[in-house]
């Protein structure tokens, strides 16, 4: 049978262990939320990187081509230039 002193120590130990478990559980929750946020950020950055890589490959292929006229036309169109009497149509349907 335990003495009163032993009961007091066991209650303190239970309180300490319960506090440590609650702290660990809350820390796990915060870290999991941070991991999820970083995973979403990584997915966004990965898609940006893929888009930039595709654009870079397109530009490199244009630069490496021997047809300079095609390169200049591409660069001019990026800056909004058009041929005289050329009509440009924009898709304004919702969702595009």
């Amino acid at each position: 049978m335990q003495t009163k002193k032993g009961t007091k120590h066991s209650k303190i130990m239970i309180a300490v262990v319960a506090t440590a478990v609650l702290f660990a559980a809350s820390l796990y929750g915060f870290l999991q939320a941070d991991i999820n946020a970083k995973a979403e950020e990584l997915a966004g950055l990965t898609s940006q990187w893929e888009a930039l890589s595709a654009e870079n490959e397109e530009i490199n292929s244009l630069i490496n081509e021997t047809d300079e006229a095609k390169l200049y036309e591409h660069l001019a169109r990026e800056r909004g230039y058009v041929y005289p009497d050329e009509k440009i149509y924009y898709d304004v349907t919702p969702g595009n």
Side-chain angles (χ1 to χ4, degrees), residues 1-13:
M1 187 165 181
Q2 291 183 343
T3 62
K4 283 199 170 246
K5 190 174 185 182
T7 306
K8 184 179 179 184
H9 289 304
S10 65
K11 288 180 181 178
I12 292 173
M13 186 58 89

Side-chain angles (χ1 to χ4, degrees), residues 31-49:
L31 290 176
Q32 193 64 38
D34 191 38
I35 288 170
N36 291 340
K38 295 296 181 184
E40 289 176 11
E41 182 182 355
L42 176 63
L45 290 173
T46 301
S47 66
Q48 284 180 346
W49 176 77

